[in-house]
Amino acid sequence: YSFSPNIIAHSRLVTTDIGATTFMIVALFLFHKWFQRRTWKRTFFSGLFLGIAQISKFSSLTLYIIILLFSIVSCARNRWEKKDVVKLIAILAISIFIINVGYLNKGSFTKMEEYEFKSGFMRSSQSILPASFRVPLPSDYVSGFDIQKFETEQKYDQFLMGRFSRKGWWYYYLAAFMLKVPLTLIMLLFLLVFYQAFKRMPRVSNSEMLIFLSVFVYVGMFSFGTQHNIGFRFMLPMLPLLHIYSSRIFSLKINQKVKICIVNFVVAGYILSSLSIYPHYLSFFNILAGGPKNGHNYLIDSNIDWGQDLVLLKEYMDKKGIETVNLAYFGRVDPSIYGIDYELLDRERKKGIAALSVNYYQGLSYDLLKERKIYPVQEGYYKYFHEYPIKDRIGYSILIFDVDTSSKQQ
């Protein structure tokens, strides 16, 4: 886990993904500890961090589904006592209280009829619930969720394996997992699942059931419940769980020497694959994708480029003696902050050294920023660059072209 390229990549970015991953895993761990011994102290801490997870990112709402489903399955296997049900309700109540505290109770218990929702999901909820129903959550939290849901309901260009779609793909995150995770971990997980299903292994424990349920619910929600196919980063909360499950290798009933060889192979392969991409972890792709140089043919957007390589572009320009560059950068930070002298790339050919994001190279529509003004880029805006050879790569996210001297590809 410490060498996971995806975890390292997003740990250095100021986004909500790693924060949400951290608190979701802590919340699941504390709920697991509560399930083992259901004391009031553990009830409090489980509810506390379940609430903190909700404040970190809206995707943490899936924790409620996971916890409730796990409790139902567990109760069916071993009937709970009434006091356990009361404590479970207390966990949920404490988490809602923490959400309200996090928003300073602003607009808590606002009537449903007072909201003006934009998303279809929240409008449907509003039509079902009584108009006088007071929502036990801060108004900014409810409105924020509505905005996020509205954005996920919009149809916009999404990219997978060389194709664009406005509907998305239910298997997007499964494909991204197969391409963005070191192959040795994938092989180990397949081996463990095979043994779990077909060989004699101990009964699935409550710990494993919680891991399986979390992975299936979370991946299922994003695969079938949304068309938001813009990055593997949404699956980050599942990576710690899969790494924990991989420790199952030590319980396999196989020859000890064989087991040691498997573990050494997996660990060595995983570490080497991670170190091989240093320091460009965000652009990591395994050998199934042909490595990071070929990754943009399968996945783009935040899978490769979040504008993280402007510093390297400046270093490249200084090293090569390039004074100015024609730039189409994927981000909202002004490149001049880093001392980059540039002109915006036009739709028409512009002679000189061009630096083009792999996202624009593949035809993604987005915006360009220049002197605090936004310039929209339509799909296929820079398609003509496919006629030129790639001269250099900046951290795998920015492609360099010499439009002045390069001959077009035949």
Side-chain angles (χ1 to χ4, degrees), residues 333-391:
V333 174
D334 190 344
S336 62
I337 292 175
Y338 296 93
I340 298 174
D341 186 12
Y342 72 102
E343 294 291 336
L344 286 183
L345 266 177
D346 294 329
R347 189 164 192 167
E348 302 298 327
R349 290 177 172 83
K350 183 182 290 186
K351 291 185 178 181
I353 300 297
L356 179 68
S357 166
V358 292
N359 292 331
Y360 294 135
Y361 180 75
Q362 291 290 31
L364 185 68
S365 57
Y366 194 62
D367 299 315
L368 291 176
L369 176 69
K370 178 68 173 180
E371 297 177 349
R372 299 184 179 183
K373 293 183 179 180
I374 299 296
Y375 299 88
V377 174
Q378 303 300 323
E379 181 181 343
Y381 199 79
Y382 299 108
K383 187 177 181 180
Y384 64 89
F385 274 98
H386 288 262
E387 302 174 4
Y388 295 90
I390 299 171
K391 182 179 180 180

Side-chain angles (χ1 to χ4, degrees), residues 176-399:
F177 176 83
M178 295 300 295
L179 299 171
K180 291 286 289 180
V181 172
L183 189 58
T184 49
L185 177 63
I186 296 175
M187 294 168 61
L188 177 58
L189 291 174
F190 273 109
L191 174 65
L192 292 172
V193 171
F194 174 80
Y195 265 82
Q196 191 99 38
F198 300 105
K199 300 293 182 181
R200 291 184 178 180
M201 289 185 69
R203 180 189 178 193
V204 175
S205 65
N206 288 319
S207 303
E208 289 178 321
M209 185 172 69
L210 182 58
I211 290 176
F212 293 152
L213 189 62
S214 299
V215 172
F216 286 130
V217 169
Y218 193 84
V219 175
M221 288 291 291
F222 275 90
S223 296
F224 298 99
T226 179
Q227 297 175 342
H228 212 48
N229 298 164
I230 61 174
F232 181 65
R233 62 190 176 86
F234 288 99
M235 293 295 106
L236 290 182
M238 298 301 98
L239 288 184
L241 296 176
L242 294 177
H243 283 87
I244 292 170
Y245 176 67
S246 69
S247 65
R248 213 17 162 142
I249 182 69
F250 294 104
S251 67
L252 294 184
K253 295 180 178 180
I254 58 177
N255 183 278
Q256 187 68 15
K257 291 184 178 179
V258 174
K259 186 186 299 184
I260 292 174
C261 288
I262 293 174
V263 171
N264 288 338
F265 169 77
V266 169
V267 172
Y270 197 94
I271 292 176
L272 288 173
S273 64
S274 182
L275 292 178
S276 66
I277 193 65
Y278 171 84
H280 313 296
Y281 292 104
L282 190 63
S283 303
F284 176 83
F285 283 86
N286 62 33
I287 59 176
L288 293 179
K293 285 187 177 181
N294 198 44
H296 64 272
N297 291 319
Y298 293 91
L299 297 167
I300 54 174
D301 212 298
S302 61
N303 293 296
I304 300 180
D305 187 8
W306 254 19
Q308 73 275 10
D309 287 325
L310 282 181
V311 174
L312 293 181
L313 176 61
K314 173 57 177 174
E315 292 178 359
Y316 176 84
M317 292 173 64
D318 292 341
K319 182 179 179 180
K320 298 292 185 179
I322 302 172
E323 295 184 359
T324 186
V325 66
N326 299 318
L327 178 64
Y329 148 73
F330 187 75
R332 297 291 175 82
V333 174
D334 190 344
S336 62
I337 292 175
Y338 296 93
I340 298 174
D341 186 12
Y342 72 102
E343 294 291 336
L344 286 183
L345 266 177
D346 294 329
R347 189 164 192 167
E348 302 298 327
R349 290 177 172 83
K350 183 182 290 186
K351 291 185 178 181
I353 300 297
L356 179 68
S357 166
V358 292
N359 292 331
Y360 294 135
Y361 180 75
Q362 291 290 31
L364 185 68
S365 57
Y366 194 62
D367 299 315
L368 291 176
L369 176 69
K370 178 68 173 180
E371 297 177 349
R372 299 184 179 183
K373 293 183 179 180
I374 299 296
Y375 299 88
V377 174
Q378 303 300 323
E379 181 181 343
Y381 199 79
Y382 299 108
K383 187 177 181 180
Y384 64 89
F385 274 98
H386 288 262
E387 302 174 4
Y388 295 90
I390 299 171
K391 182 179 180 180
D392 270 315
R393 301 172 189 267
I394 309 297
Y396 303 104
S397 72
I398 299 176
L399 305 178

